Amino acid sequence: LFCALMGKSKVILGDMPEILLRQILGNNLTFQEVQDMFKFILEKMQQIDAPISMREATLAYLPHVFQTPRDLYMTALLKECFQASESLIAFVGAHHFVPIQKYWIPPPHGINWSQATRIPPRIEGETDEMLIEKQALLDAMLDTRVWANKNLSNPFPYLASSVTDIDEKSLMHFKKTFYLNVQKYNSYKQKNVKTPERLEQSTVKARIAK
């Protein structure tokens, strides 16, 4: 990166914005599917006798859900870059390398920028509260605080394009709903996830029992 900048090359940091990923996931996955995935990851983590974060487990066991949109986004971005340059050097993570090769179909075929960044319409029949709870669940699974970013003017872009479109009473209700769900799922996660401290306590108890 330093050499590229010093050489006056054009540099693009091409990872998918987390906010875009979360809006796509939130409108692609049903409320029940996200709840089932949360339970599935917790069950898998309880079977592992080693400390692992929920984010690591989520990405390891459900890459088709959480990694594929990123792979498609980066593939589309690279294809867009080739339209404005004769040569290109890309550095990608090892877990993205094979998928990008798989999805690499020369234009006009294959994934394009519009498809990779398209946010699908919200699922019919899901209430605002269900959408908010889904995002709280995704926060818990990915160990993130996407919607708590102080630089984010609208913490509910999946409900309204602008925060000014949400009246004050509804905004307070949405914030309270999100906060309560974040607390609920993080509390449940902490009780069921094997942290290094809990593993050490379990090992000590097992030795004492012997």
Side-chain angles (χ1 to χ4, degrees):
L1 178 60
F2 176 79
C3 292
L5 290 172
M6 291 299 99
K8 297 183 179 180
S9 299
K10 293 182 178 179
V11 177
I12 295 177
L13 301 179
D15 195 8
M16 187 179 202
E18 191 70 22
I19 290 175
L20 175 60
L21 173 65
R22 293 287 294 278
Q23 289 185 80
I24 291 174
L25 291 175
N27 285 7
N28 267 333
L29 302 169
T30 67
F31 178 70
Q32 188 60 56
E33 285 173 334
V34 179
Q35 280 193 321
D36 290 343
M37 287 190 295
F38 181 75
K39 295 174 184 176
F40 169 76
I41 294 301
L42 283 178
E43 289 173 0
K44 288 296 183 181
M45 293 179 72
Q46 289 170 349
Q47 297 170 9
I48 301 174
D49 292 325
I52 182 174
S53 71
M54 194 162 198
R55 179 182 179 83
E56 291 171 332
T58 297
L59 297 179
Y61 287 106
L62 299 171
H64 58 291
V65 176
F66 294 94
Q67 291 284 25
T68 297
R70 293 184 183 277
D71 297 330
L72 291 171
Y73 178 91
M74 285 188 277
T75 303
L77 179 61
L78 287 170
K79 290 169 74 172
E80 284 289 309
C81 291
F82 267 117
Q83 295 183 29
S85 61
E86 296 180 356
S87 62
L88 183 70
I89 298 177
F91 296 89
V92 299
H95 52 291
H96 293 298
F97 182 67
V98 173
I100 288 176
Q101 288 184 309
K102 175 184 175 182
Y103 299 131
W104 189 270
I105 301 173
H109 306 290
I111 188 70
N112 61 47
W113 185 249
S114 296
Q115 294 170 330
T117 58
R118 177 181 176 271
I119 299 174
R122 59 189 288 177
I123 296 171
E124 188 176 352
E126 289 195 343
T127 64
D128 291 341
E129 288 76 14
M130 292 171 73
L131 279 169
I132 292 170
E133 187 168 349
K134 269 199 292 187
Q135 291 297 336
L137 265 167
L138 291 171
D139 254 2
M141 293 177 69
L142 296 172
D143 291 327
T144 56
R145 296 292 181 273
V146 174
W147 309 118
N149 190 323
K150 294 181 179 179
N151 297 318
L152 192 65
S153 60
N154 180 14
F156 302 101
Y158 48 91
L159 299 181
S161 57
S162 172
V163 72
T164 57
D165 295 331
I166 307 173
D167 63 81
E168 188 174 346
K169 183 178 179 181
S170 296
L171 185 60
M172 292 302 296
H173 170 65
F174 293 160
K175 287 181 177 181
K176 182 178 180 181
T177 301
F178 181 76
Y179 177 72
L180 290 175
N181 278 296
V182 165
Q183 278 193 319
K184 177 176 70 174
Y185 289 112
N186 279 333
S187 176
Y188 188 76
K189 181 174 70 171
Q190 290 170 4
K191 291 178 182 177
N192 291 275
V193 171
K194 294 179 180 179
T195 62
E197 294 77 13
R198 290 183 64 193
L199 281 171
E200 185 177 350
Q201 290 175 1
S202 298
T203 303
V204 171
K205 288 180 180 178
R207 288 174 179 171
I208 293 175
K210 290 180 180 180

